[in-house]
Amino acid sequence: MSAGETPLTVVGNLTDDPEIRFTPSGAAMAKFTVASTPRTYDKTTNQWRDGTAMFLRCTAWRDLAEHVGDSLTKGTRVIVTGRLRQHDWQTPENENRSMLGLEVDEVGPSLRFATAKVTRIRSGAPASSPGADAWNTSAPANGGWGTHAATPPATDSKYSDEPPF
């Protein structure tokens, strides 16, 4: 991380299955949204109260993107760390738009309410190869997450025009 970047760690739940796409050069990209809702304890009512939910669009690249697609699904409680980025673009109607998103450096399941089994895989080898070297995570189906196959490369012409988050 270089000077001037804004690091951020978010804990929350995936709002949907990660969307896996591929750039024209073949680099994998995973887009997903994390919902994080603050909770406070109200001593007067002896109850927990939910605050306003924050929805943060996240983007992971290359091997990390493929691991996200293979490991995480809607509802998974995750811990995501990365760099906060602002993306500016113009709509076809020439309206200026801007949004904040998280360019993901690390992501994994939260073990607060679930368990996970971690399997090492060899870097550059398919996730199903034995004797691996990078991390691939899987968990019981009742833990709220499982496997998700990556989709084929995107051929949609909108792909290069939309924001990366």
Side-chain angles (χ1 to χ4, degrees), residues 20-43:
I20 308 300
R21 294 185 178 184
F22 293 84
T23 65
S25 65
M29 176 180 71
K31 289 183 177 185
F32 57 95
T33 301
V34 175
S36 181
T37 307
R39 298 191 89 198
T40 55
Y41 189 73
D42 185 341
K43 291 181 182 179

Side-chain angles (χ1 to χ4, degrees), residues 19-31 59-66 150-154 159:
E19 178 184 343
I20 308 300
R21 294 185 178 184
F22 293 84
T23 65
S25 65
M29 176 180 71
K31 289 183 177 185
T59 305
W61 293 92
R62 298 173 188 74
D63 288 344
L64 178 58
E66 294 193 49
T151 56
Y159 179 71

Side-chain angles (χ1 to χ4, degrees), residues 142-165:
N142 65 357
W145 48 289
T147 58
H148 178 270
T151 56
T155 56
D156 190 345
S157 62
K158 295 187 309 183
Y159 179 71
S160 60
D161 296 335
E162 64 187 45
F165 303 110

